Amino acid sequence: MSDPKWQAVFKDFLERACWSAGQVFFATLLAGGDGDTVTHLPWKYALSLAAGAFIASVVLTAVQYLSKLTDLAYLPDLLVRLAKTFLGSLAASMLAGVFDVTTFGWGAALNVAVLATLASLAKGVLAREPADTSGQVPSSASPSTLATGTYREAVAKKNGKVVSN
């Protein structure tokens, strides 16, 4: 049995935002550390970017829901998630300090965004439901780590469409 619609949508928002925050947090540590010791890692900056990525993910997911672009096949869903992770990471980098196009560290921000997007790709590929015995990926496959029923309930349109688990 799947969750009620509002719970499924809340869990979808939370799953996406938490993954984005985690991916940006670890990407920031990987991109910003000098490798000497754990104490030299940019912990405050990583936490700041993770919080920004969480917020950016919530906003971008809300835009996706409001534009009714949620019930996507696996590959388009994964591509949307990758784009949102990249854009959310860049937005978080810009919001972490006062943004000034002439002094902004574009190289570091792009490094973090690319690393976070690669982590998002890995998560999306690993989270996909396995192929059936004929090697076909099920049409209900998703790059989400939510239970399939919960994910399907969250992204299904309200037009009375029957969604199979």
PDB file of all heavy atoms in Angstrom, residues 21-50 89 93 108 111-113 115-116:
ATOM      1  N   ALA A  21      21.691  18.009  -0.918  1.00  0.00           N
ATOM      2  CA  ALA A  21      22.527  18.579   0.143  1.00  0.00           C
ATOM      3  C   ALA A  21      23.735  17.687   0.420  1.00  0.00           C
ATOM      4  O   ALA A  21      24.867  18.180   0.526  1.00  0.00           O
ATOM      5  CB  ALA A  21      21.710  18.779   1.415  1.00  0.00           C
ATOM      6  N   GLY A  22      23.507  16.406   0.526  1.00  0.00           N
ATOM      7  CA  GLY A  22      24.607  15.471   0.794  1.00  0.00           C
ATOM      8  C   GLY A  22      25.624  15.443  -0.329  1.00  0.00           C
ATOM      9  O   GLY A  22      26.842  15.429  -0.091  1.00  0.00           O
ATOM     10  N   GLN A  23      25.142  15.430  -1.565  1.00  0.00           N
ATOM     11  CA  GLN A  23      26.053  15.403  -2.705  1.00  0.00           C
ATOM     12  C   GLN A  23      26.896  16.667  -2.766  1.00  0.00           C
ATOM     13  O   GLN A  23      28.115  16.607  -2.981  1.00  0.00           O
ATOM     14  CB  GLN A  23      25.251  15.221  -4.002  1.00  0.00           C
ATOM     15  CG  GLN A  23      24.642  13.843  -4.109  1.00  0.00           C
ATOM     16  CD  GLN A  23      23.446  13.782  -5.029  1.00  0.00           C
ATOM     17  OE1 GLN A  23      22.913  14.810  -5.462  1.00  0.00           O
ATOM     18  NE2 GLN A  23      22.993  12.582  -5.326  1.00  0.00           N
ATOM     19  N   VAL A  24      26.284  17.812  -2.543  1.00  0.00           N
ATOM     20  CA  VAL A  24      27.028  19.071  -2.574  1.00  0.00           C
ATOM     21  C   VAL A  24      27.993  19.156  -1.386  1.00  0.00           C
ATOM     22  O   VAL A  24      29.129  19.616  -1.534  1.00  0.00           O
ATOM     23  CB  VAL A  24      26.067  20.280  -2.618  1.00  0.00           C
ATOM     24  CG1 VAL A  24      26.800  21.589  -2.388  1.00  0.00           C
ATOM     25  CG2 VAL A  24      25.345  20.308  -3.955  1.00  0.00           C
ATOM     26  N   PHE A  25      27.562  18.679  -0.219  1.00  0.00           N
ATOM     27  CA  PHE A  25      28.429  18.688   0.961  1.00  0.00           C
ATOM     28  C   PHE A  25      29.721  17.909   0.684  1.00  0.00           C
ATOM     29  O   PHE A  25      30.827  18.428   0.870  1.00  0.00           O
ATOM     30  CB  PHE A  25      27.687  18.095   2.167  1.00  0.00           C
ATOM     31  CG  PHE A  25      28.513  17.999   3.406  1.00  0.00           C
ATOM     32  CD1 PHE A  25      28.744  19.119   4.191  1.00  0.00           C
ATOM     33  CD2 PHE A  25      29.060  16.789   3.804  1.00  0.00           C
ATOM     34  CE1 PHE A  25      29.516  19.036   5.339  1.00  0.00           C
ATOM     35  CE2 PHE A  25      29.826  16.700   4.950  1.00  0.00           C
ATOM     36  CZ  PHE A  25      30.056  17.820   5.728  1.00  0.00           C
ATOM     37  N   PHE A  26      29.578  16.675   0.221  1.00  0.00           N
ATOM     38  CA  PHE A  26      30.774  15.858  -0.014  1.00  0.00           C
ATOM     39  C   PHE A  26      31.572  16.339  -1.219  1.00  0.00           C
ATOM     40  O   PHE A  26      32.798  16.264  -1.204  1.00  0.00           O
ATOM     41  CB  PHE A  26      30.405  14.378  -0.124  1.00  0.00           C
ATOM     42  CG  PHE A  26      30.057  13.790   1.207  1.00  0.00           C
ATOM     43  CD1 PHE A  26      28.759  13.448   1.506  1.00  0.00           C
ATOM     44  CD2 PHE A  26      31.019  13.617   2.188  1.00  0.00           C
ATOM     45  CE1 PHE A  26      28.422  12.933   2.754  1.00  0.00           C
ATOM     46  CE2 PHE A  26      30.706  13.107   3.431  1.00  0.00           C
ATOM     47  CZ  PHE A  26      29.401  12.764   3.717  1.00  0.00           C
ATOM     48  N   ALA A  27      30.892  16.860  -2.241  1.00  0.00           N
ATOM     49  CA  ALA A  27      31.622  17.417  -3.380  1.00  0.00           C
ATOM     50  C   ALA A  27      32.462  18.616  -2.950  1.00  0.00           C
ATOM     51  O   ALA A  27      33.587  18.790  -3.413  1.00  0.00           O
ATOM     52  CB  ALA A  27      30.646  17.815  -4.486  1.00  0.00           C
ATOM     53  N   THR A  28      31.911  19.424  -2.052  1.00  0.00           N
ATOM     54  CA  THR A  28      32.654  20.591  -1.550  1.00  0.00           C
ATOM     55  C   THR A  28      33.878  20.149  -0.775  1.00  0.00           C
ATOM     56  O   THR A  28      34.963  20.724  -0.926  1.00  0.00           O
ATOM     57  CB  THR A  28      31.752  21.474  -0.666  1.00  0.00           C
ATOM     58  OG1 THR A  28      30.588  21.826  -1.412  1.00  0.00           O
ATOM     59  CG2 THR A  28      32.467  22.728  -0.216  1.00  0.00           C
ATOM     60  N   LEU A  29      33.725  19.126   0.048  1.00  0.00           N
ATOM     61  CA  LEU A  29      34.878  18.623   0.799  1.00  0.00           C
ATOM     62  C   LEU A  29      35.934  18.044  -0.140  1.00  0.00           C
ATOM     63  O   LEU A  29      37.135  18.268   0.060  1.00  0.00           O
ATOM     64  CB  LEU A  29      34.438  17.568   1.813  1.00  0.00           C
ATOM     65  CG  LEU A  29      33.576  18.074   2.973  1.00  0.00           C
ATOM     66  CD1 LEU A  29      33.217  16.914   3.902  1.00  0.00           C
ATOM     67  CD2 LEU A  29      34.273  19.177   3.748  1.00  0.00           C
ATOM     68  N   LEU A  30      35.489  17.326  -1.175  1.00  0.00           N
ATOM     69  CA  LEU A  30      36.440  16.752  -2.128  1.00  0.00           C
ATOM     70  C   LEU A  30      37.144  17.827  -2.939  1.00  0.00           C
ATOM     71  O   LEU A  30      38.342  17.751  -3.182  1.00  0.00           O
ATOM     72  CB  LEU A  30      35.732  15.787  -3.077  1.00  0.00           C
ATOM     73  CG  LEU A  30      35.317  14.453  -2.500  1.00  0.00           C
ATOM     74  CD1 LEU A  30      34.469  13.681  -3.498  1.00  0.00           C
ATOM     75  CD2 LEU A  30      36.535  13.639  -2.108  1.00  0.00           C
ATOM     76  N   ALA A  31      36.394  18.842  -3.360  1.00  0.00           N
ATOM     77  CA  ALA A  31      36.963  19.892  -4.205  1.00  0.00           C
ATOM     78  C   ALA A  31      37.773  20.904  -3.410  1.00  0.00           C
ATOM     79  O   ALA A  31      38.688  21.524  -3.945  1.00  0.00           O
ATOM     80  CB  ALA A  31      35.857  20.620  -4.966  1.00  0.00           C
ATOM     81  N   GLY A  32      37.446  21.079  -2.122  1.00  0.00           N
ATOM     82  CA  GLY A  32      38.054  22.166  -1.368  1.00  0.00           C
ATOM     83  C   GLY A  32      39.122  21.775  -0.377  1.00  0.00           C
ATOM     84  O   GLY A  32      39.747  22.644   0.215  1.00  0.00           O
ATOM     85  N   GLY A  33      39.336  20.497  -0.190  1.00  0.00           N
ATOM     86  CA  GLY A  33      40.332  20.090   0.803  1.00  0.00           C
ATOM     87  C   GLY A  33      41.727  20.064   0.234  1.00  0.00           C
ATOM     88  O   GLY A  33      41.942  19.802  -0.937  1.00  0.00           O
ATOM     89  N   ASP A  34      42.705  20.349   1.100  1.00  0.00           N
ATOM     90  CA  ASP A  34      44.092  20.305   0.641  1.00  0.00           C
ATOM     91  C   ASP A  34      44.726  18.947   0.882  1.00  0.00           C
ATOM     92  O   ASP A  34      45.861  18.709   0.505  1.00  0.00           O
ATOM     93  CB  ASP A  34      44.922  21.421   1.284  1.00  0.00           C
ATOM     94  CG  ASP A  34      45.002  21.307   2.799  1.00  0.00           C
ATOM     95  OD1 ASP A  34      44.584  20.290   3.364  1.00  0.00           O
ATOM     96  OD2 ASP A  34      45.499  22.263   3.416  1.00  0.00           O
ATOM     97  N   GLY A  35      43.980  18.047   1.513  1.00  0.00           N
ATOM     98  CA  GLY A  35      44.457  16.682   1.669  1.00  0.00           C
ATOM     99  C   GLY A  35      45.376  16.427   2.842  1.00  0.00           C
ATOM    100  O   GLY A  35      45.733  15.289   3.087  1.00  0.00           O
ATOM    101  N   ASP A  36      45.810  17.472   3.571  1.00  0.00           N
ATOM    102  CA  ASP A  36      46.721  17.251   4.689  1.00  0.00           C
ATOM    103  C   ASP A  36      46.023  16.523   5.835  1.00  0.00           C
ATOM    104  O   ASP A  36      46.431  15.445   6.216  1.00  0.00           O
ATOM    105  CB  ASP A  36      47.296  18.574   5.198  1.00  0.00           C
ATOM    106  CG  ASP A  36      48.336  19.150   4.260  1.00  0.00           C
ATOM    107  OD1 ASP A  36      48.779  18.420   3.358  1.00  0.00           O
ATOM    108  OD2 ASP A  36      48.685  20.321   4.433  1.00  0.00           O
ATOM    109  N   THR A  37      45.017  17.149   6.393  1.00  0.00           N
ATOM    110  CA  THR A  37      44.298  16.554   7.514  1.00  0.00           C
ATOM    111  C   THR A  37      42.824  16.898   7.411  1.00  0.00           C
ATOM    112  O   THR A  37      42.423  17.787   6.660  1.00  0.00           O
ATOM    113  CB  THR A  37      44.820  17.096   8.871  1.00  0.00           C
ATOM    114  OG1 THR A  37      44.543  18.489   8.938  1.00  0.00           O
ATOM    115  CG2 THR A  37      46.285  16.835   9.063  1.00  0.00           C
ATOM    116  N   VAL A  38      42.041  16.211   8.203  1.00  0.00           N
ATOM    117  CA  VAL A  38      40.598  16.458   8.232  1.00  0.00           C
ATOM    118  C   VAL A  38      40.313  17.873   8.707  1.00  0.00           C
ATOM    119  O   VAL A  38      39.342  18.497   8.277  1.00  0.00           O
ATOM    120  CB  VAL A  38      39.902  15.410   9.137  1.00  0.00           C
ATOM    121  CG1 VAL A  38      38.444  15.723   9.342  1.00  0.00           C
ATOM    122  CG2 VAL A  38      40.074  14.022   8.552  1.00  0.00           C
ATOM    123  N   THR A  39      41.147  18.415   9.556  1.00  0.00           N
ATOM    124  CA  THR A  39      40.903  19.755  10.095  1.00  0.00           C
ATOM    125  C   THR A  39      41.075  20.841   9.040  1.00  0.00           C
ATOM    126  O   THR A  39      40.595  21.956   9.226  1.00  0.00           O
ATOM    127  CB  THR A  39      41.837  20.061  11.288  1.00  0.00           C
ATOM    128  OG1 THR A  39      43.196  19.940  10.848  1.00  0.00           O
ATOM    129  CG2 THR A  39      41.553  19.113  12.433  1.00  0.00           C
ATOM    130  N   HIS A  40      41.763  20.533   7.933  1.00  0.00           N
ATOM    131  CA  HIS A  40      41.956  21.522   6.882  1.00  0.00           C
ATOM    132  C   HIS A  40      40.842  21.505   5.838  1.00  0.00           C
ATOM    133  O   HIS A  40      40.902  22.251   4.866  1.00  0.00           O
ATOM    134  CB  HIS A  40      43.307  21.311   6.183  1.00  0.00           C
ATOM    135  CG  HIS A  40      44.452  21.701   7.042  1.00  0.00           C
ATOM    136  ND1 HIS A  40      45.282  20.786   7.628  1.00  0.00           N
ATOM    137  CD2 HIS A  40      44.896  22.918   7.436  1.00  0.00           C
ATOM    138  CE1 HIS A  40      46.185  21.420   8.338  1.00  0.00           C
ATOM    139  NE2 HIS A  40      45.982  22.714   8.236  1.00  0.00           N
ATOM    140  N   LEU A  41      39.861  20.665   6.017  1.00  0.00           N
ATOM    141  CA  LEU A  41      38.746  20.637   5.080  1.00  0.00           C
ATOM    142  C   LEU A  41      37.808  21.811   5.353  1.00  0.00           C
ATOM    143  O   LEU A  41      37.662  22.247   6.486  1.00  0.00           O
ATOM    144  CB  LEU A  41      37.987  19.308   5.195  1.00  0.00           C
ATOM    145  CG  LEU A  41      38.762  18.070   4.749  1.00  0.00           C
ATOM    146  CD1 LEU A  41      37.952  16.810   5.029  1.00  0.00           C
ATOM    147  CD2 LEU A  41      39.109  18.149   3.276  1.00  0.00           C
ATOM    148  N   PRO A  42      37.127  22.299   4.320  1.00  0.00           N
ATOM    149  CA  PRO A  42      36.243  23.466   4.468  1.00  0.00           C
ATOM    150  C   PRO A  42      34.858  23.083   5.032  1.00  0.00           C
ATOM    151  O   PRO A  42      33.849  23.151   4.337  1.00  0.00           O
ATOM    152  CB  PRO A  42      36.139  23.993   3.036  1.00  0.00           C
ATOM    153  CG  PRO A  42      36.283  22.770   2.193  1.00  0.00           C
ATOM    154  CD  PRO A  42      37.268  21.900   2.927  1.00  0.00           C
ATOM    155  N   TRP A  43      34.827  22.684   6.292  1.00  0.00           N
ATOM    156  CA  TRP A  43      33.586  22.177   6.891  1.00  0.00           C
ATOM    157  C   TRP A  43      32.463  23.213   6.898  1.00  0.00           C
ATOM    158  O   TRP A  43      31.325  22.905   6.522  1.00  0.00           O
ATOM    159  CB  TRP A  43      33.844  21.692   8.318  1.00  0.00           C
ATOM    160  CG  TRP A  43      34.748  20.499   8.357  1.00  0.00           C
ATOM    161  CD1 TRP A  43      36.077  20.488   8.687  1.00  0.00           C
ATOM    162  CD2 TRP A  43      34.409  19.151   8.018  1.00  0.00           C
ATOM    163  NE1 TRP A  43      36.580  19.221   8.583  1.00  0.00           N
ATOM    164  CE2 TRP A  43      35.573  18.378   8.179  1.00  0.00           C
ATOM    165  CE3 TRP A  43      33.249  18.524   7.599  1.00  0.00           C
ATOM    166  CZ2 TRP A  43      35.607  17.007   7.932  1.00  0.00           C
ATOM    167  CZ3 TRP A  43      33.271  17.165   7.357  1.00  0.00           C
ATOM    168  CH2 TRP A  43      34.433  16.429   7.523  1.00  0.00           C
ATOM    169  N   LYS A  44      32.756  24.438   7.339  1.00  0.00           N
ATOM    170  CA  LYS A  44      31.711  25.474   7.397  1.00  0.00           C
ATOM    171  C   LYS A  44      31.190  25.804   6.003  1.00  0.00           C
ATOM    172  O   LYS A  44      29.980  25.942   5.798  1.00  0.00           O
ATOM    173  CB  LYS A  44      32.236  26.748   8.070  1.00  0.00           C
ATOM    174  CG  LYS A  44      32.423  26.624   9.552  1.00  0.00           C
ATOM    175  CD  LYS A  44      32.913  27.942  10.130  1.00  0.00           C
ATOM    176  CE  LYS A  44      33.194  27.805  11.607  1.00  0.00           C
ATOM    177  NZ  LYS A  44      33.713  29.056  12.171  1.00  0.00           N
ATOM    178  N   TYR A  45      32.085  25.925   5.073  1.00  0.00           N
ATOM    179  CA  TYR A  45      31.691  26.227   3.697  1.00  0.00           C
ATOM    180  C   TYR A  45      30.848  25.083   3.126  1.00  0.00           C
ATOM    181  O   TYR A  45      29.836  25.312   2.464  1.00  0.00           O
ATOM    182  CB  TYR A  45      32.941  26.465   2.849  1.00  0.00           C
ATOM    183  CG  TYR A  45      32.669  26.940   1.447  1.00  0.00           C
ATOM    184  CD1 TYR A  45      32.015  28.141   1.207  1.00  0.00           C
ATOM    185  CD2 TYR A  45      33.080  26.187   0.350  1.00  0.00           C
ATOM    186  CE1 TYR A  45      31.771  28.581  -0.078  1.00  0.00           C
ATOM    187  CE2 TYR A  45      32.838  26.619  -0.945  1.00  0.00           C
ATOM    188  CZ  TYR A  45      32.180  27.811  -1.146  1.00  0.00           C
ATOM    189  OH  TYR A  45      31.934  28.252  -2.426  1.00  0.00           O
ATOM    190  N   ALA A  46      31.262  23.840   3.390  1.00  0.00           N
ATOM    191  CA  ALA A  46      30.519  22.671   2.904  1.00  0.00           C
ATOM    192  C   ALA A  46      29.112  22.629   3.498  1.00  0.00           C
ATOM    193  O   ALA A  46      28.140  22.343   2.795  1.00  0.00           O
ATOM    194  CB  ALA A  46      31.273  21.390   3.228  1.00  0.00           C
ATOM    195  N   LEU A  47      29.006  22.928   4.788  1.00  0.00           N
ATOM    196  CA  LEU A  47      27.679  22.966   5.419  1.00  0.00           C
ATOM    197  C   LEU A  47      26.820  24.090   4.846  1.00  0.00           C
ATOM    198  O   LEU A  47      25.618  23.922   4.625  1.00  0.00           O
ATOM    199  CB  LEU A  47      27.814  23.104   6.936  1.00  0.00           C
ATOM    200  CG  LEU A  47      28.281  21.858   7.687  1.00  0.00           C
ATOM    201  CD1 LEU A  47      28.600  22.190   9.132  1.00  0.00           C
ATOM    202  CD2 LEU A  47      27.224  20.773   7.601  1.00  0.00           C
ATOM    203  N   SER A  48      27.436  25.224   4.601  1.00  0.00           N
ATOM    204  CA  SER A  48      26.718  26.354   4.021  1.00  0.00           C
ATOM    205  C   SER A  48      26.209  26.016   2.621  1.00  0.00           C
ATOM    206  O   SER A  48      25.050  26.277   2.284  1.00  0.00           O
ATOM    207  CB  SER A  48      27.638  27.576   3.975  1.00  0.00           C
ATOM    208  OG  SER A  48      27.057  28.628   3.280  1.00  0.00           O
ATOM    209  N   LEU A  49      27.064  25.412   1.808  1.00  0.00           N
ATOM    210  CA  LEU A  49      26.648  25.030   0.464  1.00  0.00           C
ATOM    211  C   LEU A  49      25.584  23.940   0.505  1.00  0.00           C
ATOM    212  O   LEU A  49      24.658  23.946  -0.303  1.00  0.00           O
ATOM    213  CB  LEU A  49      27.839  24.556  -0.363  1.00  0.00           C
ATOM    214  CG  LEU A  49      28.825  25.618  -0.815  1.00  0.00           C
ATOM    215  CD1 LEU A  49      29.899  25.008  -1.704  1.00  0.00           C
ATOM    216  CD2 LEU A  49      28.141  26.742  -1.538  1.00  0.00           C
ATOM    217  N   ALA A  50      25.706  23.005   1.436  1.00  0.00           N
ATOM    218  CA  ALA A  50      24.705  21.940   1.559  1.00  0.00           C
ATOM    219  C   ALA A  50      23.339  22.520   1.911  1.00  0.00           C
ATOM    220  O   ALA A  50      22.313  22.101   1.349  1.00  0.00           O
ATOM    221  CB  ALA A  50      25.145  20.916   2.599  1.00  0.00           C
ATOM    222  N   SER A  89      23.629  23.407  -7.112  1.00  0.00           N
ATOM    223  CA  SER A  89      24.984  23.556  -6.576  1.00  0.00           C
ATOM    224  C   SER A  89      25.565  24.922  -6.926  1.00  0.00           C
ATOM    225  O   SER A  89      26.173  25.584  -6.070  1.00  0.00           O
ATOM    226  CB  SER A  89      25.878  22.446  -7.123  1.00  0.00           C
ATOM    227  OG  SER A  89      27.190  22.609  -6.664  1.00  0.00           O
ATOM    228  N   SER A  93      26.521  27.901  -4.280  1.00  0.00           N
ATOM    229  CA  SER A  93      27.835  28.555  -4.257  1.00  0.00           C
ATOM    230  C   SER A  93      27.694  30.072  -4.323  1.00  0.00           C
ATOM    231  O   SER A  93      28.399  30.800  -3.622  1.00  0.00           O
ATOM    232  CB  SER A  93      28.695  28.083  -5.436  1.00  0.00           C
ATOM    233  OG  SER A  93      29.032  26.738  -5.299  1.00  0.00           O
ATOM    234  N   ALA A 108      36.052  26.947  -8.736  1.00  0.00           N
ATOM    235  CA  ALA A 108      35.691  26.122  -7.577  1.00  0.00           C
ATOM    236  C   ALA A 108      34.203  25.768  -7.605  1.00  0.00           C
ATOM    237  O   ALA A 108      33.823  24.628  -7.328  1.00  0.00           O
ATOM    238  CB  ALA A 108      36.036  26.858  -6.283  1.00  0.00           C
ATOM    239  N   ASN A 111      33.674  23.124 -10.193  1.00  0.00           N
ATOM    240  CA  ASN A 111      34.210  21.842  -9.702  1.00  0.00           C
ATOM    241  C   ASN A 111      33.222  21.170  -8.763  1.00  0.00           C
ATOM    242  O   ASN A 111      32.957  19.970  -8.873  1.00  0.00           O
ATOM    243  CB  ASN A 111      35.548  22.040  -8.981  1.00  0.00           C
ATOM    244  CG  ASN A 111      36.687  22.288  -9.922  1.00  0.00           C
ATOM    245  OD1 ASN A 111      36.607  21.988 -11.106  1.00  0.00           O
ATOM    246  ND2 ASN A 111      37.766  22.851  -9.402  1.00  0.00           N
ATOM    247  N   VAL A 112      32.685  21.927  -7.822  1.00  0.00           N
ATOM    248  CA  VAL A 112      31.714  21.377  -6.874  1.00  0.00           C
ATOM    249  C   VAL A 112      30.460  20.928  -7.616  1.00  0.00           C
ATOM    250  O   VAL A 112      29.933  19.833  -7.373  1.00  0.00           O
ATOM    251  CB  VAL A 112      31.368  22.405  -5.770  1.00  0.00           C
ATOM    252  CG1 VAL A 112      30.191  21.941  -4.940  1.00  0.00           C
ATOM    253  CG2 VAL A 112      32.582  22.647  -4.879  1.00  0.00           C
ATOM    254  N   ALA A 113      29.983  21.741  -8.553  1.00  0.00           N
ATOM    255  CA  ALA A 113      28.768  21.401  -9.299  1.00  0.00           C
ATOM    256  C   ALA A 113      28.958  20.124 -10.122  1.00  0.00           C
ATOM    257  O   ALA A 113      28.077  19.259 -10.155  1.00  0.00           O
ATOM    258  CB  ALA A 113      28.351  22.558 -10.192  1.00  0.00           C
ATOM    259  N   LEU A 115      31.197  17.667  -9.567  1.00  0.00           N
ATOM    260  CA  LEU A 115      31.314  16.527  -8.644  1.00  0.00           C
ATOM    261  C   LEU A 115      29.956  16.137  -8.063  1.00  0.00           C
ATOM    262  O   LEU A 115      29.634  14.945  -7.970  1.00  0.00           O
ATOM    263  CB  LEU A 115      32.290  16.851  -7.512  1.00  0.00           C
ATOM    264  CG  LEU A 115      33.773  16.859  -7.874  1.00  0.00           C
ATOM    265  CD1 LEU A 115      34.605  17.389  -6.707  1.00  0.00           C
ATOM    266  CD2 LEU A 115      34.233  15.468  -8.275  1.00  0.00           C
ATOM    267  N   ALA A 116      29.149  17.119  -7.680  1.00  0.00           N
ATOM    268  CA  ALA A 116      27.823  16.824  -7.139  1.00  0.00           C
ATOM    269  C   ALA A 116      26.939  16.179  -8.205  1.00  0.00           C
ATOM    270  O   ALA A 116      26.173  15.248  -7.912  1.00  0.00           O
ATOM    271  CB  ALA A 116      27.172  18.101  -6.604  1.00  0.00           C
TER     272      ALA A 116
END
